[in-house]
Amino acid sequence: MRTLRFLLQKEFRQIFRDAAIIRIIFMMPAVQLILLPLAADYEVKNIQMTVIDLDHSDYSQKLTNKITSSGYFKLSQYTGSYNAALKNIEKDQSDLILQIPAKFEKNLVRENESTLFIAVNAINGVKANLGAAYLQGIIRNYNSEVRLKWIQLPRFSPELNIETASSNWFNPHMNYQLFMVPGILVVLVTMVGSFLASLNIVREKEIGTIEQINVTPVHKYQFIIGKLIPFWVLGLLIMTIGFLIARFIYGISPTGSFLTIYAFAGVYLLAVLGLGLLISTFTTTQQQAMLLSFFLMMVFILLSGLYTSIDSMPEWAQWITRFNPVTYFIEVMRMVVLKGSNLADIKYHIFIVLGFAVFLNGWAIISYRKRS
Amino acid sequence: MKQFASFVKKEFHHILRDRRTMFILLFMPIAQIIIFGFALTNEVKNSRIAVLDNAKDADAASLITQIGKSNYFNIEQVLYTQRDIEKIFQKGKIKMVIVLPQNFGNDLQHFNHAQVQLIADASDPNVASTLTNYASAIIVDYQNRVTNDRKLPYTINTEVRMLYNPQGKGAYSFVPGVMAMVLMLVCTMMTAITVVREKEMGTMEVMLVSPVRPLKIIIAKAIPYLLLSMVNVASILLLSVFVLDVPINGSLTLLIAESILFTLTCLAFGLLISTVTDSQQTAMFISLTGMFLPTVMLSGFMFPIENMPLALQIISNIVPAKWFYIIVKNVMIKGTGFTIVWKETLILVVMLFALLGLAIKKFKIRLA
């Protein structure tokens, strides 16, 4: 116990003496947490639209007005040729082309039928699909208006109508920050924790001070625990700062209890730090350690479900996410913060992450050699 | 020149001798392109949903089948009471519940008007709105099919064409993004570390007392990483064409030239970081923790820039990855030429010289 205390004293001193690192550890997450959630908004709006109106009729005018007043679309250009419109898409000044053919009004009134042509820049498939769907919805609406003008519909309209009412639970105002802030906080805590841990032992190796520890009677497990605890404390500290930022800047406080989050975070940090220490025992230079942990982090973070939904990944990628501690924390964070889930709801998450922690730290202790 | 050549040789030795780093540097982009090319997609597929069917009639059943048949949804659970909805959301797997009211079929048959309620778990607003949209589209589709025999007058048809990416593949927008991200991070970090490392080890002193000019020392450090990055660019492009089926529609020469320009910009940025820091840890923290999230989030490949608040839109302009992403998207996927991307190219050139100038100005010939 006494040995451990001395080790801890050493580690804490080492961390707090490097003013540059301390500044970065605390400033960087804070700044990013303040700025980045504002950027995370997938919502498809502000779709730039080019209209090719070959009809120049009352109807085509009304249709264009109806579309631009919907709020989703902005008229970027009004032109007479398809080539000019395509050029606009190439220059990224426009996302979507609506072509109103000549005799649009005439055909609609005389032939009872008329066709509009829509072309969408589909490089971003989701935006394209939703944009086209919105536009078709508006056109359908316009269509009903036209019909109403021409025919007196019977009491029960022959247009079959299934009304869909949608409601959004847990986040009724569709506030993206409510969704992104907890997730980004997880990423920041994970990155700082794992990078610090992975660089730590390897730094002692590179500088040569590891030899000094190796000749002391310190046990392997004491050494690893001594490395683990300071970063664990730092990780929880960063998380607390993050929650303060979430509370005072975004006005987000968890629906569930902090106790649940911290209980999970405590276990989770052990797993992440264990991974870092494991990397540290396997590599010989800080450069290697950094690259390796960065590579793993990038995979973990991008496959964590923070940015893209896990359900839509292919089977094998979903399988990877099951071995990804970040996935579990992001899930827990969202469950507790947004839905108020309690300890019982997340018990599987805790057990799994606890398993990771035991496995990774155990492996780190075994693979750390006191002899080179 | 001979001195310079020997410096470049020294740097190559540094890199080639560290097999593990080499391996990670060359293998990382490959793994990333494969993982992200296949797995990263912001379309929503196979979402788990539940149904609360209060009607239990033929129309309700056929609507539910219609929804279950689509690729977007998997109906995983059938609920019996309103109260189950909250519980099931709290467990976290089910993303949406479709509620059919008691008289659904009756209303539909006799009044031509019925209601469906979609309740989405909006703790992920993106998924929620996408799911609601998809479900509404399927319901509209269903309703159109049922009305099909009653041909209505005054119908406006729409014909939709998807340009550049008719199958709506996620890889088309992610490959350019991952390319920008990988190059940005690898180049910036590696150069940042290499100079600081010499400082930390003390070997910088040795180089500074040599007759070689500091500018040459810096350039010598950058050259091997430039070559390494080119290998990465090549492997990324080969993989995207042959494995992910993302075509190179524009000129390959232009694409490679732009990649070299972007790589140089990143190298210059790395050098700047290395001149203002003195420990590898600090350098890595700035280049990774500081760069990773901004590159992912502000380059426009994850989140549309036009949706951001004005301040962030302005900040996003100083992220080099944003410009490179636009260039790659244009040249590679749209197949446009230099006339369309000259502005972005010019911005990168200006950034390159600004960063390089700053790095050289900050480069200290004497260590403290």
Side-chain angles (χ1 to χ4, degrees):
Chain A
M1 217 42 225
R2 239 175 66 111
T3 333
L4 193 59
R5 217 179 63 218
F6 284 125
L7 275 174
L8 285 177
Q9 211 176 2
K10 159 192 169 290
E11 294 297 336
F12 271 115
R13 266 202 200 144
Q14 223 171 0
I15 296 173
F16 282 102
R17 272 193 190 150
D18 192 343
I21 276 283
I22 281 295
R23 256 205 313 274
I24 292 172
I25 291 177
F26 288 110
M27 286 297 292
M28 204 97 88
V31 170
Q32 296 200 353
L33 194 63
I34 291 170
L35 282 182
L36 292 181
L38 298 171
D41 185 349
Y42 280 127
E43 203 186 348
V44 179
K45 53 189 175 190
N46 303 324
I47 303 167
Q48 300 286 339
M49 181 180 67
T50 301
V51 174
I52 311 168
D53 188 353
L54 301 174
D55 194 30
H56 295 292
S57 62
D58 186 34
Y59 274 31
S60 71
Q61 285 293 343
K62 274 192 188 143
L63 177 62
T64 316
N65 283 342
K66 193 168 166 69
I67 293 168
T68 44
S69 63
S70 70
Y72 292 117
F73 298 93
K74 278 189 186 160
L75 188 64
S76 79
Q77 218 188 348
Y78 197 77
T79 152
S81 90
Y82 185 72
N83 280 343
L86 205 59
K87 198 105 216 144
N88 251 343
I89 289 216
E90 275 184 2
K91 283 193 209 146
D92 258 339
Q93 283 164 356
S94 165
D95 306 306
L96 188 147
I97 301 173
L98 171 69
Q99 187 172 2
I100 304 172
K103 298 190 188 158
F104 167 71
E105 180 173 339
K106 212 169 161 191
N107 282 341
L108 187 60
V109 178
R110 299 246 173 98
E111 327 267 328
N112 269 336
E113 197 174 27
S114 195
T115 304
L116 293 170
F117 177 71
I118 301 171
V120 202
N121 172 4
I123 291 183
N124 182 343
V126 176
K127 193 174 177 185
N129 273 327
L130 285 183
Y134 287 160
L135 190 56
Q136 283 173 304
I138 296 169
I139 292 171
R140 219 172 8 246
N141 247 323
Y142 177 74
N143 200 175
S144 312
E145 280 172 25
V146 171
R147 260 183 215 139
L148 268 180
K149 233 175 80 182
W150 286 95
I151 38 178
Q152 182 68 46
L153 294 172
R155 194 162 78 88
F156 298 123
S157 137
E159 287 179 69
L160 195 65
N161 188 3
I162 303 178
E163 201 180 303
T164 41
S166 60
S167 46
N168 297 301
W169 285 20
F170 306 114
N171 188 1
H173 304 294
M174 298 298 256
N175 180 353
Y176 284 77
Q177 277 134 31
L178 203 54
F179 165 68
M180 285 312 288
V181 169
I184 290 182
L185 181 56
V186 169
V187 170
L188 291 171
V189 169
T190 311
M191 289 219 294
V192 172
S194 70
F195 287 155
L196 281 178
S198 67
L199 286 182
N200 194 279
I201 299 180
V202 87
R203 187 171 190 212
E204 300 222 24
K205 280 193 203 165
E206 216 174 38
I207 300 178
T209 48
I210 195 109
E211 291 293 333
Q212 290 167 19
I213 289 180
N214 286 347
V215 295
T216 60
V218 172
H219 285 291
K220 288 206 289 189
Y221 74 90
Q222 284 173 329
F223 178 69
I224 296 283
I225 293 176
K227 293 277 181 201
L228 206 61
I229 292 178
F231 296 127
W232 190 76
V233 173
L234 272 183
L236 290 180
L237 210 59
I238 291 172
M239 207 172 80
T240 311
I241 294 175
F243 273 120
L244 288 176
I245 291 174
R247 174 76 192 81
F248 290 109
I249 292 186
Y250 294 103
I252 298 170
S253 39
T255 322
S257 78
F258 273 113
L259 185 75
T260 319
I261 296 178
Y262 276 90
F264 184 85
V267 180
Y268 171 78
L269 273 172
L270 288 181
V272 168
L273 297 176
L275 180 68
L277 292 179
L278 185 63
I279 291 173
S280 210
T281 60
F282 267 114
T283 46
T284 48
T285 64
Q286 293 186 60
Q287 211 176 7
Q288 287 171 3
M290 196 65 188
L291 272 177
L292 197 61
S293 63
F294 170 65
F295 172 61
L296 288 176
M297 277 308 121
M298 192 157 161
V299 173
F300 280 175
I301 289 168
L302 289 181
L303 288 183
S304 67
L306 171 64
Y307 298 112
T308 57
S309 159
I310 291 180
D311 289 334
S312 39
M313 293 177 188
E315 195 65 33
W316 59 268
Q318 291 194 22
W319 206 72
I320 296 180
T321 62
R322 267 168 234 153
F323 293 92
N324 177 359
V326 186
T327 314
Y328 293 96
F329 197 13
I330 287 191
E331 254 181 54
V332 165
M333 200 70 143
R334 286 187 178 154
M335 283 165 77
V336 177
V337 172
L338 290 153
K339 301 184 208 166
S341 308
N342 53 27
L343 268 177
D345 290 321
I346 62 163
K347 60 176 183 283
Y348 292 113
H349 295 80
I350 291 189
F351 282 131
I352 292 169
V353 173
L354 188 65
F356 284 138
V358 171
F359 174 73
L360 290 168
N361 285 299
W363 193 2
I365 291 173
I366 293 169
S367 65
Y368 165 58
R369 302 243 173 276
K370 292 190 85 176
R371 241 173 288 228
S372 48
Chain B
M1 208 51 221
K2 213 178 130 221
Q3 280 171 332
F4 181 66
S6 55
F7 258 84
V8 175
K9 213 167 116 190
K10 159 188 167 295
E11 294 301 328
F12 266 113
H13 278 305
H14 263 310
I15 297 176
L16 292 175
R17 277 192 190 148
D18 187 351
R19 285 277 160 78
R20 280 189 215 178
T21 308
M22 267 279 284
F23 179 74
I24 299 173
L25 279 181
L26 292 177
F27 177 73
M28 183 159 79
I30 296 177
Q32 275 164 348
I33 272 286
I34 291 181
I35 294 177
F36 301 137
F38 283 113
L40 268 197
T41 151
N42 46 15
E43 52 193 294
V44 178
K45 279 187 291 198
N46 301 324
S47 288
R48 288 170 219 183
I49 59 169
V51 176
L52 172 58
D53 181 3
N54 292 321
K56 299 199 177 54
D57 52 38
D59 290 295
S62 82
L63 179 61
I64 292 169
T65 331
Q66 185 78 10
I67 291 171
K69 263 199 301 195
S70 84
N71 282 332
Y72 304 125
F73 302 110
N74 279 347
I75 298 177
E76 292 245 319
Q77 230 163 331
V78 176
L79 306 180
Y80 298 101
T81 67
Q82 194 80 21
R83 261 172 298 142
D84 290 343
I85 299 176
E86 179 147 14
K87 264 187 249 156
I88 206 168
F89 277 149
Q90 262 163 5
K91 287 209 186 100
K93 286 292 173 210
I94 300 288
K95 301 278 188 258
M96 188 173 76
V97 177
I98 298 175
V99 183
L100 295 166
Q102 225 158 30
N103 295 320
F104 181 77
N106 203 25
D107 287 351
L108 198 61
Q109 295 300 339
H110 296 111
F111 305 106
N112 282 331
H113 184 102
Q115 277 186 324
V116 178
Q117 199 189 1
L118 303 173
I119 301 176
D121 172 359
S123 53
D124 183 338
N126 297 317
V127 172
S129 62
T130 314
L131 287 184
T132 319
N133 282 318
Y134 284 152
S136 314
I138 294 172
I139 293 170
V140 168
D141 216 49
Y142 172 78
Q143 140 191 344
N144 286 346
R145 261 191 351 160
V146 176
T147 9
N148 222 3
D149 9 304
R150 328 177 185 171
K151 184 88 180 154
L152 288 174
Y154 308 109
T155 302
I156 302 175
N157 298 318
T158 45
E159 207 174 281
V160 181
R161 205 172 95 198
M162 296 287 169
L163 301 170
Y164 309 117
N165 182 11
Q167 296 122 304
K169 279 193 192 165
Y172 277 58
S173 62
F174 279 109
V175 165
V178 173
M179 200 158 131
M181 189 165 67
V182 167
L183 287 181
M184 172 97 208
L185 293 168
V186 169
C187 302
T188 310
M189 179 177 60
M190 293 312 294
T191 35
I193 294 177
T194 158
V195 178
V196 179
R197 194 178 185 194
E198 304 237 18
K199 278 193 205 169
E200 218 177 49
M201 295 285 189
T203 46
M204 200 62 183
E205 292 279 6
V206 183
M207 305 224 293
L208 289 179
V209 294
S210 74
V212 179
R213 286 187 29 223
L215 181 64
K216 282 193 178 163
I217 298 181
I218 287 192
I219 296 175
K221 287 218 163 276
I223 286 177
Y225 289 107
L226 181 63
L227 286 177
L228 206 68
S229 307
M230 285 306 105
V231 176
N232 282 338
V233 170
S235 55
I236 292 176
L237 288 181
L238 285 174
L239 279 173
S240 41
V241 172
F242 292 108
V243 180
L244 295 174
D245 285 331
V246 178
I248 299 177
N249 288 327
S251 132
L252 184 62
T253 332
L254 180 60
L255 189 59
I256 290 174
E258 297 281 1
S259 305
I260 293 177
L261 173 63
F262 179 64
T263 311
L264 286 173
T265 315
C266 298
L267 291 176
F269 187 56
L271 287 175
L272 180 61
I273 294 177
S274 70
T275 52
V276 295
T277 51
D278 352 270
S279 83
Q280 287 188 61
Q281 282 203 1
T282 323
M284 288 186 231
F285 255 93
I286 295 180
S287 51
L288 282 187
T289 339
M291 297 309 304
F292 178 63
L293 281 183
T295 313
V296 171
M297 303 195 67
L298 296 180
S299 64
F301 100 93
M302 276 280 180
F303 303 103
I305 290 179
E306 67 265 22
N307 279 2
M308 295 174 194
L310 189 66
L312 279 183
Q313 290 194 22
I314 293 169
I315 294 177
S316 79
N317 288 330
I318 59 168
V319 177
K322 173 191 166 179
W323 304 108
F324 184 61
Y325 175 62
I326 296 176
I327 292 173
V328 176
K329 217 170 55 174
N330 273 300
V331 175
M332 195 165 161
I333 292 170
K334 291 191 196 164
T336 49
F338 187 66
T339 43
I340 300 280
V341 295
W342 67 270
K343 231 187 284 167
E344 286 79 10
T345 313
L346 188 67
I347 292 172
L348 282 183
V349 171
V350 171
M351 278 184 178
L352 167 63
F353 282 105
L355 288 169
L356 209 57
L358 214 56
I360 290 169
K361 210 178 140 214
K362 291 251 174 179
F363 189 78
K364 290 185 206 98
I365 307 180
R366 267 165 233 281
L367 297 174

